[in-house]
Amino acid sequence: MLYGVIAILLLAVISSLIFSLILHFTDTQEKSIRLLVTIISFFSVFAGGFICGGKGKQKGWLIGGSTGLLYSIIILMYQYLGHSSFFSMEQLIYHICYILTAMMGGVLGVNILSGHAHSS
C-alpha cells in the first residue's frame, strides 16, 4: 500500500505544482480548471490503486480500497490537525468515490500487472 499512497501523493504534488504555476503566470481562474483538477485527482487515486494491485498480485479490490482509505485518512488528518476541520459532506462524497476508484485500480492492477490469465 505504501507504493500506491506514495504514487498518489507524488502525482498530487506534481499536478498541484503545475496548476499553481498556470494560475500564477496566466490569467486562468481557479474555477475554470476545477474539473481538470478533479479528473487528475481521480486519475492519481486510480493509479495508486493500480500500482498496489499489481504489487499485491491478489485481492486487488481490498488492496486498492485500503490504499484509497489510507490516502483519505492522511488527507483528513492533515485537514483536521492543520485546519481544525473535518470533511464537509461534499468532501466525504469525493473521498468515498476516491476509495471506490482506487478499488477499481487495484482490481485492474492485479489482472493486468500480475500476468495471471483467468479463464471463464
Side-chain angles (χ1 to χ4, degrees):
M1 286 191 324
L2 185 62
Y3 287 113
V5 173
I6 289 172
I8 293 169
L9 293 175
L10 279 176
L11 288 170
V13 166
I14 291 168
S15 62
S16 294
L17 177 64
I18 290 169
F19 286 126
S20 66
L21 290 172
I22 289 170
L23 290 171
H24 182 72
F25 291 112
T26 67
D27 291 334
T28 306
Q29 298 295 315
E30 187 175 342
K31 64 182 176 180
S32 66
I33 62 170
R34 184 174 179 151
L35 178 62
L36 186 57
V37 170
T38 301
I39 291 168
I40 290 175
S41 297
F42 277 101
F43 172 77
S44 298
V45 173
F46 180 84
F50 187 83
I51 290 169
C52 282
K55 293 238 179 242
K57 301 197 187 319
Q58 61 182 345
K59 295 185 182 178
W61 66 272
L62 182 62
I63 294 171
S66 298
T67 302
L69 181 63
L70 182 59
Y71 168 73
S72 292
I73 289 171
I74 290 169
I75 298 301
L76 176 65
M77 287 182 357
Y78 169 77
Q79 185 170 328
Y80 179 70
L81 296 174
H83 302 286
S84 298
S85 66
F86 286 108
F87 286 158
S88 66
M89 186 55 74
E90 180 183 6
Q91 288 173 316
L92 183 61
I93 292 168
Y94 271 108
H95 282 276
I96 289 169
C97 292
Y98 287 156
I99 294 167
L100 294 173
T101 302
M103 280 181 176
M104 289 187 284
V107 169
L108 281 176
V110 165
N111 290 321
I112 293 174
L113 296 180
S114 67
H116 291 248
H118 298 288
S119 59
S120 299

